[in-house]
Amino acid sequence: GENVEQHPSTLSVQEGDSAVIKCTYSDSASNYFPWYKQELGKRPQLIIDIRSNVGEKKDQRIAVTLNKTAKHFSLHITETQPEDSAVYFCAAPSDTGRRALTFGSGTRLQVQP
Amino acid sequence: SAVISQKPSRDICQRGTSLTIQCQVDSQVTMMFWYRQQPGQSLTLIATANQGSEATYESGFVIDKFPISRPNLTFSTLTVSNMSPEDSSIYLCSAIPSGGLNTEAFFGQGTRLTVV
């Protein structure tokens, strides 16, 4: 099955700075990589995802990059705001062809005003 | 998209008892899953809920402890049986709407279980 590693576990930035969270995966056949944001006491919500046929995807202040050769993908948040403070999880399919997800360990992002 | 409702949202239970968590989706979905999230931790897949057949369990989770039902495309239940304090956790239902491959997985709001 898939193994997903995520770092850093905590990240503190000043408002307006950029934040980068990195994940690696083990299964070279994995082809879908979502990122979820979970605010305290709330459900995880998808913020962006990328498929293996592209190397980068952007949505306003959020971008994800994928390096299939190195088997890693990263979340980039620019111009961070206090409301970006949350726990972020990367994920990958648990097994080839399955839609269940294996999650990374999570990154607690704190944006200081 | 899909709106997922779980109930109860939280419960405090005595050890040795069982709790059944319900998950209702507002639209037809292809896949439904149950995850566990221990406080401050990541999400761990318990099982895939298969419509009309036995669930597919991940390593470390067994049917006797976590029986799952999925009688139709939009509803599933997870029972936590013979509970112990180690079962205290958040249990999350997840579903993928019909259509396409690797589409977005939606989550219920979770059931916060405390076993005393």
Side-chain angles (χ1 to χ4, degrees), chain A residues 34-50:
Chain A
W35 285 89
Y36 284 83
K37 175 183 180 181
Q38 187 176 34
E39 298 177 353
L40 188 62
K42 302 288 183 63
R43 73 190 74 196
Q45 293 196 306
L46 181 77
I47 55 171
I48 195 168
D49 57 15
I50 190 168

Side-chain angles (χ1 to χ4, degrees), chain B residues 44-64:
Chain B
T44 300
L45 180 66
I46 297 173
T48 302
N50 300 310
Q51 191 216 344
S53 65
E54 192 172 288
T56 304
Y57 290 85
E58 298 301 304
S59 176
F61 298 96
V62 295
I63 187 171
D64 290 346

Side-chain angles (χ1 to χ4, degrees), chain A residues 31-32 36 38 41-46 49 51 89 93-95 98-106 108, chain B residues 4 30-31 33 35 37 41-43 45 48 58 92 96-97 99-105 107-109 112:
Chain A
N31 58 3
Y32 174 68
Y36 284 83
Q38 187 176 34
K42 302 288 183 63
R43 73 190 74 196
Q45 293 196 306
L46 181 77
D49 57 15
R51 288 168 172 75
F89 294 99
S94 295
D95 286 297
R98 292 188 61 191
R99 300 193 206 179
L101 296 172
T102 295
F103 285 83
S105 53
R108 182 173 301 276
Chain B
I4 303 176
T30 55
M31 309 292 289
F33 308 97
Y35 290 84
Q37 186 176 29
Q41 302 296 313
S42 184
L43 287 78
L45 180 66
T48 302
E58 298 301 304
L92 291 152
I96 297 178
L101 287 175
N102 296 328
T103 54
E104 177 177 355
F107 286 85
Q109 79 274 25
R112 182 180 292 272

Side-chain angles (χ1 to χ4, degrees), chain A residues 37-97:
Chain A
K37 175 183 180 181
Q38 187 176 34
E39 298 177 353
L40 188 62
K42 302 288 183 63
R43 73 190 74 196
Q45 293 196 306
L46 181 77
I47 55 171
I48 195 168
D49 57 15
I50 190 168
R51 288 168 172 75
S52 58
N53 57 343
V54 297
E56 183 175 6
K57 183 178 178 181
K58 288 184 179 180
D59 183 3
Q60 300 183 341
R61 297 185 296 109
I62 295 173
V64 57
T65 59
L66 171 65
N67 183 326
K68 286 196 66 181
T69 302
K71 292 190 286 187
H72 68 71
F73 56 111
S74 300
L75 177 70
H76 304 253
I77 306 175
T78 59
E79 300 172 29
T80 53
Q81 301 167 3
E83 51 265 38
D84 294 329
S85 297
V87 179
Y88 291 81
F89 294 99
C90 62
S94 295
D95 286 297
T96 303

